[in-house]
Amino acid sequence: VQLAESGGGLVQAGGSLRISCATAGFTFVDYGVGWFRRAPGKEREGVSWISSGDGSPHYADSVKGRFTIYSDYAKNTVHLQMSNLKPEDTAVYYCAVGVFAYGFDPAGYDYWGQGTQVTVSS
């Protein structure tokens, strides 16, 4: 199983960025996919996840209405479109996948990417 995040970078507050998680080595549609982030000095937190069953998206309250998660099944890739970014969104963002992934419980995720840095300047 391989996960590779990309698309991180530096953006001004109010701006947009799309990060992606390219996957390989497993049956994509059978796995739930989640995005997590860890800011300096803070605990890891769940941002968004998409279920393996119906592909429905879910969001943490802190990003609801600003972030959109969606899958490109042809490319086995999950994207996270982030808009109206705030300095508090600054973090390393990780994607993770798991057969039993449900919600933001890390125990449900079997594989994790290396992360991509997102920095939002004020």
Side-chain angles (χ1 to χ4, degrees):
V1 174
Q2 295 179 335
L3 304 176
E5 299 98 334
S6 63
L10 174 64
V11 63
Q12 288 187 331
S16 299
L17 202 62
R18 188 182 77 169
I19 56 178
S20 302
C21 177
T23 73
F26 62 98
T27 305
F28 183 69
V29 296
D30 291 339
Y31 281 67
V33 182
W35 282 101
F36 295 78
R37 67 186 181 187
R38 175 170 284 162
K42 294 187 177 181
E43 297 288 321
R44 178 179 56 191
E45 65 171 339
V47 176
S48 180
W49 65 282
I50 194 163
S51 64
S52 61
D54 59 5
S56 57
H58 306 269
Y59 303 95
D61 288 342
S62 59
V63 305
K64 199 171 294 183
R66 301 188 297 121
F67 290 12
T68 302
I69 187 173
Y70 61 100
S71 299
D72 180 343
Y73 292 99
K75 297 182 178 180
N76 290 352
T77 299
V78 175
H79 303 286
L80 186 67
Q81 178 68 48
M82 305 181 291
S83 302
N84 191 20
L85 283 160
K86 304 175 181 180
E88 51 263 44
D89 294 318
T90 295
V92 177
Y93 284 71
Y94 302 88
C95 69
V97 300
V99 174
F100 300 108
Y102 189 86
F104 295 132
D105 182 358
Y109 294 85
D110 304 306
Y111 304 98
W112 294 77
Q114 294 298 309
T116 185
Q117 176 71 48
V118 172
T119 303
V120 185
S121 63
S122 57

